[in-house]
Amino acid sequence: MTILALDWFLLIEKLILIAIIIFASLGVALYTTFAERKVAAILQDRPGPNRAGPFGLLQPLADGLKLITKEEIIPTHANKWLFILGPGLAMTAALMTCAVVPWGGTIEVLGHQVDLQIADVNIGILYVFAVVSMGVYGVMIGGWASNNKFSLMAALRAASQAISYELAMGLSLIALLMVTGSLSLRTIVEQQVGHVWNIVYQPLGFLIFFICALAECNRTPFDLPEAENELNFGYHQEYSSMKLGFYLFSEYINMFISSTIMATMFFGGYDLPFVTSHLSIPGTAAIVGIVVLMAKVVMFIFLFMWIRWTIPRFRYDQLMDLGWKKMIPLALANMLVTGFFILWHQNNWHF
Amino acid sequence: MAITHIIFWFLTALALVSALMVLLSKNPVYSVLWLIAVFFAISGHYILLNAQFLAIVNMIVYAGAIMVLFLFVIMLMNLDKETEPQKDIWMKVAGVISGGCLLIQLVRLAKDAPEMVNKTALLKTGSIGLIENLGKVLFSDYVVPFEISSVLFLSAMVGAVVIGKK
């Protein structure tokens, strides 16, 4: 079936996959906001949202409705176009990351093999990094366009935090890539299926990556960009209605995606130990894979929330000190040790 | 038209329009944003040439790091239309003429270069831009310049720290 020299089946398959993954990300993010409030409530010994629907399950819909119907305010001297562009960019960057994540194995639809992944590019991890570094623009443009000096200061704070922790994040991943020898996320997962997970080889690398992921998602103890009770809210101070909702929502999507990346890189992705490599029917393997990956992701999201409602936030100089003087040297040392062990292993454990 | 041609023309138009908008926008913040769009379009061209590593590094380094710094500086400089110095009309004419001369020279050189005569770009094929080939070349044939440039980066970093400490 080739009209206009296009493979229409591929095009439609990818479009459907993109639509499903975007809606799934939005849905997960929606219910992450609900889970956040429930976890906070449990940790603080109170019932939490329980009015809308059974167990308060309709609460996120009510929140969304409230945000949409609120009055939309654009400050008088704000730069109108950039003010609107900011939240859009933040949301786009958050959603773009999921393109390279393998969500499961392969399923068969109408006689075609369909990979449960939008794009298996051989630079998967670098793509994630590129998109993450784009996320800074949404924050910076929004903060600057509000024409409010507190917003601008918060935007600068957020941007410098993101840039600082990106470095340590990249360095911690280099050690992992030295072990796997591939940048493609699908290959990294397939190496772990039936073998030990990468966390065994790179425990320190995972710790550094996790801390940097907390900082990249602006989660406590690194939530200085939006310290509402100390630093006069954040870069979205002038925002209202759904534009504010976009900023808050993009953070939950970022949290979901970074949990997925951590599960994929260090915890075997869609691999269920001792089971996945023995599943003979391809369809079941894919479905079991999706469920297993989601379970891992939910665990990480819970960990993020647990940390948020347990630990107080850092001071800004402590944050920078941790990033530049502790995380980066630690990641470099991790890289050196990993390289040493790889060489030693290649030499059959002889010096 | 194959899909690569459609994408090629789209990216080319995007790159040229964005590059023009970098020059034409009055607001320097807009200029920076259009420049980021140019980098995106160029990265798209790299992907069409199957140089995925170059594409993504172009995005990480230029669009993701250098342009953030530009944006930082421009946002903090507080540029207003009133305070911005107005240039003389003759300066603008001279700029256009000299820039045009440079453009003609560059186009002529590119047209006559022996590497480019009777050659067409390889779309979707070719593996020189893939990360494994690039890595092998960098660490075997060009290892000395590669390592020397890393020393250069180190000295730049030390310089930045020294200036920052003052």
Side-chain angles (χ1 to χ4, degrees):
Chain A
M1 195 161 70
T2 43
I3 311 163
L4 210 81
L6 294 182
D7 186 353
W8 286 97
F9 185 85
L10 185 77
L11 200 68
I12 292 168
E13 171 206 322
K14 292 299 179 197
L15 280 179
I16 292 174
L17 210 59
I18 290 171
I20 290 175
I21 287 173
I22 283 183
F23 278 107
S25 308
L26 290 174
V28 170
L30 200 64
Y31 271 89
T32 315
T33 60
F34 173 69
E36 172 107 84
R37 295 172 68 175
K38 274 289 186 194
V39 170
I42 293 166
L43 290 180
Q44 293 169 352
D45 208 10
R46 58 188 172 84
N50 61 358
R51 294 291 161 207
F55 309 108
L57 272 175
L58 298 178
Q59 186 66 38
L61 298 180
D63 286 344
L65 195 68
K66 185 199 81 173
L67 278 175
I68 288 175
T69 49
K70 270 194 159 183
E71 188 191 353
E72 194 127 7
I73 300 167
I74 295 181
T76 322
H77 291 289
N79 188 323
K80 194 170 170 232
W81 290 111
L82 293 185
F83 192 76
I84 297 170
L85 184 68
L89 270 183
M91 198 70 170
T92 316
L95 282 173
M96 265 167 72
T97 331
C98 51
V100 291
V101 175
W103 300 93
T106 312
I107 54 170
E108 203 174 287
V109 180
L110 301 172
H112 290 263
Q113 296 286 322
V114 177
D115 281 334
L116 292 178
Q117 182 179 22
I118 296 174
D120 183 17
V121 284
N122 61 6
I123 40 155
I125 277 298
L126 290 178
Y127 171 85
V128 173
F129 266 91
V131 176
V132 165
S133 58
M134 293 298 123
V136 179
Y137 285 115
V139 170
M140 279 187 83
I141 289 170
W144 181 79
S146 315
N147 197 22
N148 174 335
K149 56 176 84 108
F150 293 108
S151 295
L152 181 62
M153 295 311 280
L156 293 181
R157 213 160 55 220
S160 30
Q161 171 180 329
I163 293 172
S164 311
Y165 278 82
E166 245 167 57
L167 278 176
M169 200 179 207
L171 287 173
S172 74
L173 274 189
I174 287 176
L176 179 74
L177 297 177
M178 280 156 70
V179 175
T180 60
S182 171
L183 290 167
S184 152
L185 287 171
R186 161 104 32 205
T187 316
I188 290 175
V189 172
E190 270 163 13
Q191 281 175 352
Q192 297 176 74
V193 174
H195 298 277
V196 281
W197 291 347
N198 283 333
I199 177 79
V200 179
Y201 299 120
Q202 286 291 324
L204 186 60
F206 169 69
L207 190 69
I208 296 168
F209 188 88
F210 181 69
I211 292 172
C212 295
L214 282 178
E216 289 288 319
C217 297
N218 298 337
R219 299 287 297 183
T220 318
F222 308 102
D223 62 343
L224 287 156
E226 46 182 301
E228 62 266 36
N229 41 8
E230 297 159 20
L231 293 170
N232 204 351
F233 213 39
Y235 51 88
H236 37 40
Q237 188 171 26
E238 295 287 352
Y239 280 88
S240 58
S241 183
M242 205 54 205
K243 290 208 269 308
L244 174 68
F246 262 39
Y247 270 128
L248 302 180
F249 216 59
S250 71
E251 269 174 29
Y252 282 95
I253 295 175
N254 277 333
M255 205 164 96
F256 169 58
I257 297 293
S258 54
S259 303
T260 320
I261 298 284
M262 277 190 286
T264 308
M265 301 285 291
F266 292 98
F267 287 86
Y270 51 79
D271 173 43
L272 185 63
F274 312 115
V275 178
T276 301
S277 45
H278 300 293
L279 285 175
S280 47
I281 321 158
T284 17
I287 289 162
V288 167
I290 296 174
V291 173
V292 168
L293 180 61
M294 282 301 144
K296 288 172 187 172
V297 168
V298 166
M299 248 179 50
F300 274 117
I301 290 178
F302 175 71
L303 191 59
F304 272 64
M305 289 171 183
W306 193 2
I307 290 172
R308 168 159 181 189
W309 296 103
T310 313
I311 301 179
R313 78 172 58 94
F314 277 118
R315 228 169 43 219
Y316 191 64
D317 58 322
Q318 291 170 334
L319 169 103
M320 282 297 157
D321 192 69
L322 182 74
W324 287 94
K325 294 184 185 163
K326 310 245 162 43
M327 286 295 142
I328 291 179
L330 205 61
L332 284 172
N334 185 37
M335 227 166 86
L336 266 181
V337 172
T338 312
F340 169 75
F341 271 99
I342 288 174
L343 278 181
W344 195 16
H345 175 64
Q346 280 174 354
N347 208 16
N348 289 325
W349 307 109
H350 291 297
F351 278 110
Chain B
M1 274 216 295
I3 195 159
T4 35
H5 285 99
I6 300 171
I7 297 174
F8 172 80
W9 288 111
F10 172 72
L11 287 174
T12 310
L14 181 68
L16 289 177
V17 169
S18 311
L20 277 178
M21 290 308 289
V22 174
L23 299 176
L24 295 178
S25 6
K26 297 262 182 204
N27 190 335
V29 173
Y30 285 155
S31 289
V32 170
L33 296 178
W34 282 113
L35 195 54
I36 295 166
V38 175
F39 286 135
F40 262 87
I42 300 286
S43 281
H45 279 299
Y46 280 138
I47 289 175
L48 278 186
L49 294 168
N50 214 17
Q52 300 168 354
F53 182 68
L54 274 182
I56 220 74
V57 166
N58 185 38
M59 257 162 71
I60 294 177
V61 174
Y62 284 93
I66 293 179
M67 283 296 116
V68 171
L69 278 183
F70 271 50
L71 209 55
F72 255 105
V73 172
I74 288 172
M75 282 177 177
L76 288 177
M77 278 205 303
N78 204 11
L79 295 168
D80 286 329
K81 284 190 193 88
E82 292 82 38
T83 55
E84 210 177 339
Q86 294 297 315
K87 298 236 170 34
D88 194 3
I89 184 79
W90 290 108
M91 288 291 283
K92 286 181 187 169
V93 172
V96 168
I97 290 173
S98 53
C101 289
L102 182 66
L103 180 70
I104 292 169
Q105 278 294 323
L106 285 176
V107 169
R108 201 188 70 87
L109 275 177
K111 257 186 85 180
D112 293 352
E115 288 85 7
M116 291 175 76
V117 175
N118 293 329
K119 297 262 172 70
T120 45
L122 288 170
L123 288 181
K124 284 208 298 186
T125 50
S127 55
I128 193 71
L130 295 185
I131 187 163
E132 53 262 48
N133 300 325
L134 211 62
K136 272 179 197 142
V137 170
L138 273 184
F139 282 100
S140 56
D141 295 353
Y142 297 101
V143 67
V144 177
F146 184 73
E147 294 295 335
I148 288 177
S149 68
S150 71
V151 174
L152 190 69
F153 277 122
L154 184 68
S155 60
M157 260 168 67
V158 172
V161 170
V162 168
I163 292 172
K165 283 266 176 190
K166 267 184 186 169

